[in-house]
Amino acid sequence: MTTQPTVKVQLVRSPIGCKESHRATVRGLGLRKMGSQSELQDTPAVRGMINKISYLVKVL
């Protein structure tokens, strides 16, 4: 069996004061509080979401 590659993301800046769509993207990635981490499947959709809010997150 082949396993899907994953990407781990951490929220490093607060989404307060950001656009509503950027806040929704943060929640869509499964991130809540600053410092929270989420491990997601590495798909083009997830990569696009990370790229959209790259100033708020860090890829681990």
Side-chain angles (χ1 to χ4, degrees):
M1 282 192 260
T2 61
T3 58
Q4 263 308 38
T6 59
V7 61
K8 195 177 234 185
V9 202
Q10 180 179 15
L11 187 63
V12 293
R13 283 192 57 200
S14 172
I16 295 174
C18 297
K19 291 183 178 180
E20 184 62 40
S21 63
H22 289 204
R23 284 196 294 260
T25 303
V26 169
R27 296 292 295 128
L29 288 174
L31 302 170
R32 296 182 65 98
K33 298 179 179 181
M34 283 189 44
S36 64
Q37 297 178 359
S38 183
E39 192 164 346
L40 307 154
Q41 290 185 351
D42 193 6
T43 62
V46 171
R47 283 286 175 175
M49 293 170 77
I50 292 170
N51 190 40
K52 181 176 181 178
I53 58 165
S54 61
Y55 64 100
L56 295 175
V57 297
K58 178 172 67 172
V59 178
L60 303 173

